[in-house]
Amino acid sequence: MDGTDSPEAGRKRIQVMRELIQTEKDYVNDLECIVNGYLKEFARAGNKIPADLRGKKNIIFGNIEQIYEFHSSDFLLELEACQDQPSLVGAAFIMKSNEFEMYATYCKNKPSSEALRMDYINLPFFKVMYT
């Protein structure tokens, strides 16, 4: 390869960047729904929450707020800054690699979260609150 790109290759890279950014925006929106929906409702429910679940917000939701904050206030902006220069996107991922380690915490917590969810999913509290 001689280092030159065809116009078609350049267009494809720009399209891939647009798709990557849109996917990140969709992910941020989904995280926002969880943080501003489920988490807030869980906090507001107070004594309506089954006793066995009180004080277990962090087990149920893990560090989803931290993940949302990172993606909405930091990583999405990094990707958007690369929109017209797709060759920089790899560096953005590398630059933020330490922050992605927060997913290790989320993944370690996931089995406990799923176990609680499965134990309590059929309670009227959740059917009213989340359906």
Side-chain angles (χ1 to χ4, degrees), residues 66-85:
Q66 179 188 17
I67 291 169
Y68 168 66
E69 185 63 32
F70 166 67
H71 282 276
S72 65
S73 300
D74 194 351
F75 194 63
L76 176 57
L77 301 175
E78 289 290 333
L79 291 179
E80 288 174 333
C82 297
Q83 182 167 340
D84 296 326
Q85 295 178 296

mmCIF file with all atom_site columns, all heavy atoms in Angstrom, residues 66-85:
data_model
loop_
_atom_site.group_PDB
_atom_site.id
_atom_site.type_symbol
_atom_site.label_atom_id
_atom_site.label_alt_id
_atom_site.label_comp_id
_atom_site.label_asym_id
_atom_site.label_entity_id
_atom_site.label_seq_id
_atom_site.pdbx_PDB_ins_code
_atom_site.Cartn_x
_atom_site.Cartn_y
_atom_site.Cartn_z
_atom_site.occupancy
_atom_site.B_iso_or_equiv
_atom_site.pdbx_formal_charge
_atom_site.auth_seq_id
_atom_site.auth_comp_id
_atom_site.auth_asym_id
_atom_site.auth_atom_id
_atom_site.pdbx_PDB_model_num
ATOM 1   N N   . GLN A 1 66 ? -21.548 5.237  37.266 1.00 0.00 ? 66 GLN A N   1
ATOM 2   C CA  . GLN A 1 66 ? -20.173 5.577  36.872 1.00 0.00 ? 66 GLN A CA  1
ATOM 3   C C   . GLN A 1 66 ? -19.985 5.333  35.373 1.00 0.00 ? 66 GLN A C   1
ATOM 4   O O   . GLN A 1 66 ? -19.375 6.147  34.676 1.00 0.00 ? 66 GLN A O   1
ATOM 5   C CB  . GLN A 1 66 ? -19.198 4.729  37.686 1.00 0.00 ? 66 GLN A CB  1
ATOM 6   C CG  . GLN A 1 66 ? -17.748 4.966  37.342 1.00 0.00 ? 66 GLN A CG  1
ATOM 7   C CD  . GLN A 1 66 ? -16.815 3.974  38.032 1.00 0.00 ? 66 GLN A CD  1
ATOM 8   O OE1 . GLN A 1 66 ? -17.229 2.923  38.510 1.00 0.00 ? 66 GLN A OE1 1
ATOM 9   N NE2 . GLN A 1 66 ? -15.540 4.322  38.056 1.00 0.00 ? 66 GLN A NE2 1
ATOM 10  N N   . ILE A 1 67 ? -20.520 4.239  34.892 1.00 0.00 ? 67 ILE A N   1
ATOM 11  C CA  . ILE A 1 67 ? -20.416 3.909  33.470 1.00 0.00 ? 67 ILE A CA  1
ATOM 12  C C   . ILE A 1 67 ? -21.142 4.965  32.636 1.00 0.00 ? 67 ILE A C   1
ATOM 13  O O   . ILE A 1 67 ? -20.621 5.453  31.635 1.00 0.00 ? 67 ILE A O   1
ATOM 14  C CB  . ILE A 1 67 ? -20.959 2.491  33.202 1.00 0.00 ? 67 ILE A CB  1
ATOM 15  C CG1 . ILE A 1 67 ? -20.016 1.450  33.831 1.00 0.00 ? 67 ILE A CG1 1
ATOM 16  C CG2 . ILE A 1 67 ? -21.143 2.238  31.708 1.00 0.00 ? 67 ILE A CG2 1
ATOM 17  C CD1 . ILE A 1 67 ? -20.569 0.040  33.866 1.00 0.00 ? 67 ILE A CD1 1
ATOM 18  N N   . TYR A 1 68 ? -22.339 5.337  33.075 1.00 0.00 ? 68 TYR A N   1
ATOM 19  C CA  . TYR A 1 68 ? -23.105 6.363  32.367 1.00 0.00 ? 68 TYR A CA  1
ATOM 20  C C   . TYR A 1 68 ? -22.335 7.690  32.332 1.00 0.00 ? 68 TYR A C   1
ATOM 21  O O   . TYR A 1 68 ? -22.223 8.331  31.282 1.00 0.00 ? 68 TYR A O   1
ATOM 22  C CB  . TYR A 1 68 ? -24.473 6.559  33.016 1.00 0.00 ? 68 TYR A CB  1
ATOM 23  C CG  . TYR A 1 68 ? -25.202 7.775  32.528 1.00 0.00 ? 68 TYR A CG  1
ATOM 24  C CD1 . TYR A 1 68 ? -25.641 7.867  31.211 1.00 0.00 ? 68 TYR A CD1 1
ATOM 25  C CD2 . TYR A 1 68 ? -25.439 8.853  33.373 1.00 0.00 ? 68 TYR A CD2 1
ATOM 26  C CE1 . TYR A 1 68 ? -26.300 8.994  30.749 1.00 0.00 ? 68 TYR A CE1 1
ATOM 27  C CE2 . TYR A 1 68 ? -26.094 9.980  32.920 1.00 0.00 ? 68 TYR A CE2 1
ATOM 28  C CZ  . TYR A 1 68 ? -26.524 10.052 31.606 1.00 0.00 ? 68 TYR A CZ  1
ATOM 29  O OH  . TYR A 1 68 ? -27.161 11.174 31.166 1.00 0.00 ? 68 TYR A OH  1
ATOM 30  N N   . GLU A 1 69 ? -21.804 8.080  33.456 1.00 0.00 ? 69 GLU A N   1
ATOM 31  C CA  . GLU A 1 69 ? -21.074 9.354  33.538 1.00 0.00 ? 69 GLU A CA  1
ATOM 32  C C   . GLU A 1 69 ? -19.883 9.356  32.574 1.00 0.00 ? 69 GLU A C   1
ATOM 33  O O   . GLU A 1 69 ? -19.651 10.328 31.857 1.00 0.00 ? 69 GLU A O   1
ATOM 34  C CB  . GLU A 1 69 ? -20.610 9.612  34.975 1.00 0.00 ? 69 GLU A CB  1
ATOM 35  C CG  . GLU A 1 69 ? -19.956 10.942 35.185 1.00 0.00 ? 69 GLU A CG  1
ATOM 36  C CD  . GLU A 1 69 ? -20.875 12.124 34.921 1.00 0.00 ? 69 GLU A CD  1
ATOM 37  O OE1 . GLU A 1 69 ? -22.089 12.030 35.139 1.00 0.00 ? 69 GLU A OE1 1
ATOM 38  O OE2 . GLU A 1 69 ? -20.352 13.168 34.459 1.00 0.00 ? 69 GLU A OE2 1
ATOM 39  N N   . PHE A 1 70 ? -19.136 8.273  32.554 1.00 0.00 ? 70 PHE A N   1
ATOM 40  C CA  . PHE A 1 70 ? -17.980 8.171  31.664 1.00 0.00 ? 70 PHE A CA  1
ATOM 41  C C   . PHE A 1 70 ? -18.403 8.275  30.200 1.00 0.00 ? 70 PHE A C   1
ATOM 42  O O   . PHE A 1 70 ? -17.822 9.049  29.432 1.00 0.00 ? 70 PHE A O   1
ATOM 43  C CB  . PHE A 1 70 ? -17.235 6.857  31.912 1.00 0.00 ? 70 PHE A CB  1
ATOM 44  C CG  . PHE A 1 70 ? -16.252 6.504  30.832 1.00 0.00 ? 70 PHE A CG  1
ATOM 45  C CD1 . PHE A 1 70 ? -15.109 7.271  30.634 1.00 0.00 ? 70 PHE A CD1 1
ATOM 46  C CD2 . PHE A 1 70 ? -16.465 5.410  30.004 1.00 0.00 ? 70 PHE A CD2 1
ATOM 47  C CE1 . PHE A 1 70 ? -14.201 6.947  29.637 1.00 0.00 ? 70 PHE A CE1 1
ATOM 48  C CE2 . PHE A 1 70 ? -15.560 5.083  29.009 1.00 0.00 ? 70 PHE A CE2 1
ATOM 49  C CZ  . PHE A 1 70 ? -14.430 5.847  28.821 1.00 0.00 ? 70 PHE A CZ  1
ATOM 50  N N   . HIS A 1 71 ? -19.405 7.512  29.822 1.00 0.00 ? 71 HIS A N   1
ATOM 51  C CA  . HIS A 1 71 ? -19.790 7.499  28.414 1.00 0.00 ? 71 HIS A CA  1
ATOM 52  C C   . HIS A 1 71 ? -20.456 8.806  27.980 1.00 0.00 ? 71 HIS A C   1
ATOM 53  O O   . HIS A 1 71 ? -20.206 9.282  26.877 1.00 0.00 ? 71 HIS A O   1
ATOM 54  C CB  . HIS A 1 71 ? -20.702 6.296  28.117 1.00 0.00 ? 71 HIS A CB  1
ATOM 55  C CG  . HIS A 1 71 ? -19.938 5.030  27.989 1.00 0.00 ? 71 HIS A CG  1
ATOM 56  N ND1 . HIS A 1 71 ? -19.334 4.638  26.825 1.00 0.00 ? 71 HIS A ND1 1
ATOM 57  C CD2 . HIS A 1 71 ? -19.651 4.070  28.907 1.00 0.00 ? 71 HIS A CD2 1
ATOM 58  C CE1 . HIS A 1 71 ? -18.717 3.483  27.015 1.00 0.00 ? 71 HIS A CE1 1
ATOM 59  N NE2 . HIS A 1 71 ? -18.894 3.123  28.271 1.00 0.00 ? 71 HIS A NE2 1
ATOM 60  N N   . SER A 1 72 ? -21.280 9.378  28.832 1.00 0.00 ? 72 SER A N   1
ATOM 61  C CA  . SER A 1 72 ? -22.017 10.583 28.427 1.00 0.00 ? 72 SER A CA  1
ATOM 62  C C   . SER A 1 72 ? -21.159 11.838 28.476 1.00 0.00 ? 72 SER A C   1
ATOM 63  O O   . SER A 1 72 ? -21.300 12.721 27.626 1.00 0.00 ? 72 SER A O   1
ATOM 64  C CB  . SER A 1 72 ? -23.263 10.769 29.296 1.00 0.00 ? 72 SER A CB  1
ATOM 65  O OG  . SER A 1 72 ? -22.908 11.017 30.642 1.00 0.00 ? 72 SER A OG  1
ATOM 66  N N   . SER A 1 73 ? -20.270 11.929 29.458 1.00 0.00 ? 73 SER A N   1
ATOM 67  C CA  . SER A 1 73 ? -19.499 13.160 29.648 1.00 0.00 ? 73 SER A CA  1
ATOM 68  C C   . SER A 1 73 ? -18.083 13.099 29.117 1.00 0.00 ? 73 SER A C   1
ATOM 69  O O   . SER A 1 73 ? -17.395 14.116 29.104 1.00 0.00 ? 73 SER A O   1
ATOM 70  C CB  . SER A 1 73 ? -19.422 13.497 31.148 1.00 0.00 ? 73 SER A CB  1
ATOM 71  O OG  . SER A 1 73 ? -20.707 13.689 31.663 1.00 0.00 ? 73 SER A OG  1
ATOM 72  N N   . ASP A 1 74 ? -17.664 11.926 28.691 1.00 0.00 ? 74 ASP A N   1
ATOM 73  C CA  . ASP A 1 74 ? -16.261 11.792 28.327 1.00 0.00 ? 74 ASP A CA  1
ATOM 74  C C   . ASP A 1 74 ? -16.101 11.060 26.987 1.00 0.00 ? 74 ASP A C   1
ATOM 75  O O   . ASP A 1 74 ? -15.695 11.652 25.991 1.00 0.00 ? 74 ASP A O   1
ATOM 76  C CB  . ASP A 1 74 ? -15.526 11.048 29.447 1.00 0.00 ? 74 ASP A CB  1
ATOM 77  C CG  . ASP A 1 74 ? -14.020 11.126 29.358 1.00 0.00 ? 74 ASP A CG  1
ATOM 78  O OD1 . ASP A 1 74 ? -13.489 11.608 28.340 1.00 0.00 ? 74 ASP A OD1 1
ATOM 79  O OD2 . ASP A 1 74 ? -13.349 10.689 30.302 1.00 0.00 ? 74 ASP A OD2 1
ATOM 80  N N   . PHE A 1 75 ? -16.426 9.782  26.962 1.00 0.00 ? 75 PHE A N   1
ATOM 81  C CA  . PHE A 1 75 ? -16.080 8.983  25.801 1.00 0.00 ? 75 PHE A CA  1
ATOM 82  C C   . PHE A 1 75 ? -16.850 9.375  24.546 1.00 0.00 ? 75 PHE A C   1
ATOM 83  O O   . PHE A 1 75 ? -16.278 9.409  23.453 1.00 0.00 ? 75 PHE A O   1
ATOM 84  C CB  . PHE A 1 75 ? -16.245 7.492  26.097 1.00 0.00 ? 75 PHE A CB  1
ATOM 85  C CG  . PHE A 1 75 ? -15.591 6.627  25.075 1.00 0.00 ? 75 PHE A CG  1
ATOM 86  C CD1 . PHE A 1 75 ? -14.218 6.672  24.883 1.00 0.00 ? 75 PHE A CD1 1
ATOM 87  C CD2 . PHE A 1 75 ? -16.330 5.780  24.280 1.00 0.00 ? 75 PHE A CD2 1
ATOM 88  C CE1 . PHE A 1 75 ? -13.598 5.892  23.925 1.00 0.00 ? 75 PHE A CE1 1
ATOM 89  C CE2 . PHE A 1 75 ? -15.726 4.990  23.320 1.00 0.00 ? 75 PHE A CE2 1
ATOM 90  C CZ  . PHE A 1 75 ? -14.354 5.041  23.146 1.00 0.00 ? 75 PHE A CZ  1
ATOM 91  N N   . LEU A 1 76 ? -18.117 9.698  24.685 1.00 0.00 ? 76 LEU A N   1
ATOM 92  C CA  . LEU A 1 76 ? -18.884 10.142 23.514 1.00 0.00 ? 76 LEU A CA  1
ATOM 93  C C   . LEU A 1 76 ? -18.243 11.380 22.900 1.00 0.00 ? 76 LEU A C   1
ATOM 94  O O   . LEU A 1 76 ? -18.112 11.485 21.680 1.00 0.00 ? 76 LEU A O   1
ATOM 95  C CB  . LEU A 1 76 ? -20.344 10.419 23.881 1.00 0.00 ? 76 LEU A CB  1
ATOM 96  C CG  . LEU A 1 76 ? -21.229 10.969 22.769 1.00 0.00 ? 76 LEU A CG  1
ATOM 97  C CD1 . LEU A 1 76 ? -21.248 10.058 21.547 1.00 0.00 ? 76 LEU A CD1 1
ATOM 98  C CD2 . LEU A 1 76 ? -22.641 11.203 23.294 1.00 0.00 ? 76 LEU A CD2 1
ATOM 99  N N   . LEU A 1 77 ? -17.808 12.297 23.727 1.00 0.00 ? 77 LEU A N   1
ATOM 100 C CA  . LEU A 1 77 ? -17.147 13.504 23.226 1.00 0.00 ? 77 LEU A CA  1
ATOM 101 C C   . LEU A 1 77 ? -15.840 13.172 22.506 1.00 0.00 ? 77 LEU A C   1
ATOM 102 O O   . LEU A 1 77 ? -15.516 13.785 21.488 1.00 0.00 ? 77 LEU A O   1
ATOM 103 C CB  . LEU A 1 77 ? -16.885 14.478 24.379 1.00 0.00 ? 77 LEU A CB  1
ATOM 104 C CG  . LEU A 1 77 ? -18.120 14.944 25.146 1.00 0.00 ? 77 LEU A CG  1
ATOM 105 C CD1 . LEU A 1 77 ? -17.727 15.802 26.342 1.00 0.00 ? 77 LEU A CD1 1
ATOM 106 C CD2 . LEU A 1 77 ? -19.087 15.669 24.241 1.00 0.00 ? 77 LEU A CD2 1
ATOM 107 N N   . GLU A 1 78 ? -15.107 12.198 23.033 1.00 0.00 ? 78 GLU A N   1
ATOM 108 C CA  . GLU A 1 78 ? -13.863 11.766 22.380 1.00 0.00 ? 78 GLU A CA  1
ATOM 109 C C   . GLU A 1 78 ? -14.155 11.212 20.990 1.00 0.00 ? 78 GLU A C   1
ATOM 110 O O   . GLU A 1 78 ? -13.451 11.529 20.024 1.00 0.00 ? 78 GLU A O   1
ATOM 111 C CB  . GLU A 1 78 ? -13.156 10.696 23.217 1.00 0.00 ? 78 GLU A CB  1
ATOM 112 C CG  . GLU A 1 78 ? -12.540 11.206 24.488 1.00 0.00 ? 78 GLU A CG  1
ATOM 113 C CD  . GLU A 1 78 ? -11.325 12.093 24.259 1.00 0.00 ? 78 GLU A CD  1
ATOM 114 O OE1 . GLU A 1 78 ? -10.632 11.945 23.240 1.00 0.00 ? 78 GLU A OE1 1
ATOM 115 O OE2 . GLU A 1 78 ? -11.073 12.941 25.130 1.00 0.00 ? 78 GLU A OE2 1
ATOM 116 N N   . LEU A 1 79 ? -15.189 10.374 20.901 1.00 0.00 ? 79 LEU A N   1
ATOM 117 C CA  . LEU A 1 79 ? -15.541 9.811  19.597 1.00 0.00 ? 79 LEU A CA  1
ATOM 118 C C   . LEU A 1 79 ? -15.999 10.896 18.629 1.00 0.00 ? 79 LEU A C   1
ATOM 119 O O   . LEU A 1 79 ? -15.612 10.889 17.454 1.00 0.00 ? 79 LEU A O   1
ATOM 120 C CB  . LEU A 1 79 ? -16.632 8.752  19.745 1.00 0.00 ? 79 LEU A CB  1
ATOM 121 C CG  . LEU A 1 79 ? -16.226 7.457  20.439 1.00 0.00 ? 79 LEU A CG  1
ATOM 122 C CD1 . LEU A 1 79 ? -17.421 6.522  20.542 1.00 0.00 ? 79 LEU A CD1 1
ATOM 123 C CD2 . LEU A 1 79 ? -15.065 6.784  19.731 1.00 0.00 ? 79 LEU A CD2 1
ATOM 124 N N   . GLU A 1 80 ? -16.799 11.818 19.117 1.00 0.00 ? 80 GLU A N   1
ATOM 125 C CA  . GLU A 1 80 ? -17.271 12.904 18.253 1.00 0.00 ? 80 GLU A CA  1
ATOM 126 C C   . GLU A 1 80 ? -16.105 13.751 17.746 1.00 0.00 ? 80 GLU A C   1
ATOM 127 O O   . GLU A 1 80 ? -16.133 14.230 16.608 1.00 0.00 ? 80 GLU A O   1
ATOM 128 C CB  . GLU A 1 80 ? -18.304 13.753 18.988 1.00 0.00 ? 80 GLU A CB  1
ATOM 129 C CG  . GLU A 1 80 ? -19.624 13.037 19.156 1.00 0.00 ? 80 GLU A CG  1
ATOM 130 C CD  . GLU A 1 80 ? -20.625 13.793 20.003 1.00 0.00 ? 80 GLU A CD  1
ATOM 131 O OE1 . GLU A 1 80 ? -20.222 14.596 20.874 1.00 0.00 ? 80 GLU A OE1 1
ATOM 132 O OE2 . GLU A 1 80 ? -21.833 13.580 19.794 1.00 0.00 ? 80 GLU A OE2 1
ATOM 133 N N   . ALA A 1 81 ? -15.078 13.908 18.561 1.00 0.00 ? 81 ALA A N   1
ATOM 134 C CA  . ALA A 1 81 ? -13.897 14.674 18.135 1.00 0.00 ? 81 ALA A CA  1
ATOM 135 C C   . ALA A 1 81 ? -13.139 13.961 17.009 1.00 0.00 ? 81 ALA A C   1
ATOM 136 O O   . ALA A 1 81 ? -12.400 14.595 16.266 1.00 0.00 ? 81 ALA A O   1
ATOM 137 C CB  . ALA A 1 81 ? -12.969 14.919 19.330 1.00 0.00 ? 81 ALA A CB  1
ATOM 138 N N   . CYS A 1 82 ? -13.344 12.664 16.888 1.00 0.00 ? 82 CYS A N   1
ATOM 139 C CA  . CYS A 1 82 ? -12.672 11.870 15.840 1.00 0.00 ? 82 CYS A CA  1
ATOM 140 C C   . CYS A 1 82 ? -13.525 11.727 14.581 1.00 0.00 ? 82 CYS A C   1
ATOM 141 O O   . CYS A 1 82 ? -13.093 11.088 13.617 1.00 0.00 ? 82 CYS A O   1
ATOM 142 C CB  . CYS A 1 82 ? -12.367 10.472 16.362 1.00 0.00 ? 82 CYS A CB  1
ATOM 143 S SG  . CYS A 1 82 ? -11.243 10.409 17.750 1.00 0.00 ? 82 CYS A SG  1
ATOM 144 N N   . GLN A 1 83 ? -14.706 12.300 14.592 1.00 0.00 ? 83 GLN A N   1
ATOM 145 C CA  . GLN A 1 83 ? -15.660 12.070 13.506 1.00 0.00 ? 83 GLN A CA  1
ATOM 146 C C   . GLN A 1 83 ? -15.056 12.296 12.120 1.00 0.00 ? 83 GLN A C   1
ATOM 147 O O   . GLN A 1 83 ? -15.245 11.489 11.224 1.00 0.00 ? 83 GLN A O   1
ATOM 148 C CB  . GLN A 1 83 ? -16.891 12.958 13.677 1.00 0.00 ? 83 GLN A CB  1
ATOM 149 C CG  . GLN A 1 83 ? -17.928 12.713 12.596 1.00 0.00 ? 83 GLN A CG  1
ATOM 150 C CD  . GLN A 1 83 ? -19.253 13.355 12.932 1.00 0.00 ? 83 GLN A CD  1
ATOM 151 O OE1 . GLN A 1 83 ? -19.532 13.661 14.072 1.00 0.00 ? 83 GLN A OE1 1
ATOM 152 N NE2 . GLN A 1 83 ? -20.067 13.554 11.921 1.00 0.00 ? 83 GLN A NE2 1
ATOM 153 N N   . ASP A 1 84 ? -14.332 13.371 11.942 1.00 0.00 ? 84 ASP A N   1
ATOM 154 C CA  . ASP A 1 84 ? -13.756 13.682 10.630 1.00 0.00 ? 84 ASP A CA  1
ATOM 155 C C   . ASP A 1 84 ? -12.338 13.141 10.456 1.00 0.00 ? 84 ASP A C   1
ATOM 156 O O   . ASP A 1 84 ? -11.726 13.340 9.414  1.00 0.00 ? 84 ASP A O   1
ATOM 157 C CB  . ASP A 1 84 ? -13.769 15.197 10.398 1.00 0.00 ? 84 ASP A CB  1
ATOM 158 C CG  . ASP A 1 84 ? -15.189 15.742 10.345 1.00 0.00 ? 84 ASP A CG  1
ATOM 159 O OD1 . ASP A 1 84 ? -16.085 15.028 9.855  1.00 0.00 ? 84 ASP A OD1 1
ATOM 160 O OD2 . ASP A 1 84 ? -15.399 16.874 10.820 1.00 0.00 ? 84 ASP A OD2 1
ATOM 161 N N   . GLN A 1 85 ? -11.837 12.489 11.493 1.00 0.00 ? 85 GLN A N   1
ATOM 162 C CA  . GLN A 1 85 ? -10.500 11.893 11.430 1.00 0.00 ? 85 GLN A CA  1
ATOM 163 C C   . GLN A 1 85 ? -10.550 10.484 12.035 1.00 0.00 ? 85 GLN A C   1
ATOM 164 O O   . GLN A 1 85 ? -10.059 10.248 13.141 1.00 0.00 ? 85 GLN A O   1
ATOM 165 C CB  . GLN A 1 85 ? -9.504  12.752 12.185 1.00 0.00 ? 85 GLN A CB  1
ATOM 166 C CG  . GLN A 1 85 ? -9.309  14.124 11.568 1.00 0.00 ? 85 GLN A CG  1
ATOM 167 C CD  . GLN A 1 85 ? -8.343  14.943 12.384 1.00 0.00 ? 85 GLN A CD  1
ATOM 168 O OE1 . GLN A 1 85 ? -8.611  15.271 13.531 1.00 0.00 ? 85 GLN A OE1 1
ATOM 169 N NE2 . GLN A 1 85 ? -7.209  15.262 11.775 1.00 0.00 ? 85 GLN A NE2 1
#
